[in-house]
Amino acid sequence: ARQLAAGLTPVLRAQDFVADVLDGDSVLALRQPEHRAVLVAMSRPEYSDELTSKVKDLRTQIGTVVASGVAEGCRALLTGEPVLESDVQQIAVDDAHRLERVALVPAAVILIYAFGSLGAALVPILTGVLALLLAVGGLAQVAEHVPLAVFVMPVVSMIGLGAGIDYSLLVTTRFREARARGDSPSDAAVQTTATAGRTVLVSGLCVAFGFGALSLTPTSETRSVGLAGLMVVSAAVLLSVTLVPAILATTAQWLDRPVWLSARLARWHGLGVWERWGTVIVRHRWWALLGGLAVVGLLVLPISQLEVGVPKQGWFPEGAESTEATALLTGANLEGELLPIEVIVRAPEGDRVVSVNRLRGLKRFADSLAADPRVARVRGPVSLRSGMSLLGYAALYGDLDAARERQPELFGTFVSDDAATGRFQIILGDTTSLSTGMELVRELRAQAASQVGGQADLEVLVGGFAAAQVDEEAALKGAFPSMVALILGATGLMLFLMLRSLLMPVKAILLNALSVAGAFGLLVLVFQLGVGHRLVGLAYPTEALFIHVLVMVFAISFGLSMDYEVFLIARIKERYEAGRDDATATIEGLSHTAGVITNAAAIMVVVFGSFAFSKILMARLLGFGLAAAVLIDATIVRLVIVPAFMRIAGKWNWWPGGRRVQGEG
């Protein structure tokens, strides 16, 4: 292993982005089993934004050295934060393509059942694929100017396929209804665009509000998802109100092909089942309302145990070389080396951080950290050798030129060339989770001045991966109320303008929030607490949930849930304005849309649910959360709670707009 390390060292040093290469016997004092060697490549700061793009070429060069036989039987594995990020990027793309193919088959089966024909089922599938391709093409242009998060591709795949198929499903269903009434293909397309097209536009705007709010959040991950979502939803809506009606009008004679399949499936289609369901809900409205609320309430209960933070297990990409290397580091009690906490101590201008009068404070700071049970070791300007006294450090730094000759690896690594800045690396213990590391970061920031010997004139900055997570969590928590207010306000206004009702927007917002809360509850129950975690391929409970996931699930699922609200309420309102009484309008509206809602939701659940088996934990959590929100909303909320509530509210549903004659406005 050491022989291979010796062969790799000049290759690493030859890279323009590498400042130095340190081995296990250097200042890092890495502890390792005899059969492993560890090299640490210290990167140049000016290349920090480019390191991820260098990984592929570096792996190729390392592979060439290994293949040369310099150390037969040995392997070389590359890891580190930029390497992990590179692997996540590649796995995210590969995973998205794999899961797209997985999701399309059951989605196609559901569509064939929903339409009773193969011809009609092809239209939504085509729309979903085209929406996905348009969004990816647009993002490829955007990515040249704006950095995008590594898990944007799974989101684009989920939303592109799900929304594209759903919107096209609604349009195709209305077109076939118009054709069944005897309308010509062109007249049916016009009528469909005027009714279902309007509903799709409103639904798409509701989803766009959520993504728009995400694009205004302060972290690059959520902003990227917001931008990608806006593009894919826009593509899905535009295709559904332009290309889809044109395709339907042009291929109307093929929509019921093959005839033998349509004939076999015809017996399964009809409004009878949903009419009976609607009648039962309307008749027993209070029991339905209370029962539905009780079921969702039970799903919401686990939220009381929600822990926000970095999951303890499984957030490295499965099957990646960097993950295997990380596992080896863990086995050697070196996992903390991968993502250390960095503390920068900066002296006032013209002063030195390692001057005699400051060394005592630095030593006290380093010793207090080393004594913390959460910390495995501390490296820094006063942690060079175990047992080295304060007097020894004073002698070392008394002559900086001599110190540079004696400890060349020290300067530029732990002490700046002008000695005005010092750097401490805090290596967490192998049993310490990143969530615990985040707690340590908060403590350091709160007490840093006092811990560095009470030297208030020293500037102390805490960074590293754990610190970045603390900053992002704080930023998202601060932005979350504004994001929620923006989504709720814009959605409520849109529904008011569409329905001319005050009660309907308020009811829709409350019930959508209930669906999202139920999804949060299931995320906590399955992933954090581990109830049934193995069913989603998770080896261990996460014990915490990314705040990014919670923010994205809220923003995305709130808009998607509104789709089904708009589908259902728009049809009930049509029947009400056609002269039906409240009970009849509710039953007829439900019977005409329940099949569409359940089929559309089934497709969404299949698409999102497939991503719950992604190799990337963030995508897995997001897919599961969105699938859960859609499932709760499309079943308990839209098919039970909403019709029961509307029958109870009666004419107050439409106040102050009241009943309009169909065709008015």
Side-chain angles (χ1 to χ4, degrees), residues 212-224 476 479-480 483 551:
L214 274 180
S215 67
L216 299 177
T217 50
T219 66
S220 61
E221 287 86 354
T222 49
R223 281 200 306 270
S224 299
L476 284 176
F480 190 65
M483 186 192 79
V551 170

Side-chain angles (χ1 to χ4, degrees), residues 4 53 79 81 105 144-145 158 260 294 342 352 367 376 408 419 473 486 533 551 568 601 608 611-612:
L4 178 56
S53 63
T79 190
E81 189 172 351
V105 174
E144 296 182 4
H145 310 285
M158 282 190 280
W260 64 267
E342 306 275 358
R352 295 188 307 169
D367 290 345
E473 184 177 307
L486 176 61
H533 63 282
V551 170
L568 176 59
F608 295 157
F611 282 84

Side-chain angles (χ1 to χ4, degrees), residues 63-110:
T64 301
V65 174
V66 174
S68 68
V70 65
E72 190 172 346
C74 289
R75 301 170 62 208
L77 304 177
L78 196 63
T79 190
E81 189 172 351
V83 185
L84 286 164
E85 185 175 345
S86 174
D87 286 346
V88 169
Q89 288 177 350
Q90 186 58 53
I91 289 174
V93 173
D94 296 342
D95 228 23
H97 294 331
R98 175 179 65 86
L99 295 173
E100 286 163 13
R101 294 190 292 270
V102 169
L104 276 176
V105 174
V109 172
I110 294 170

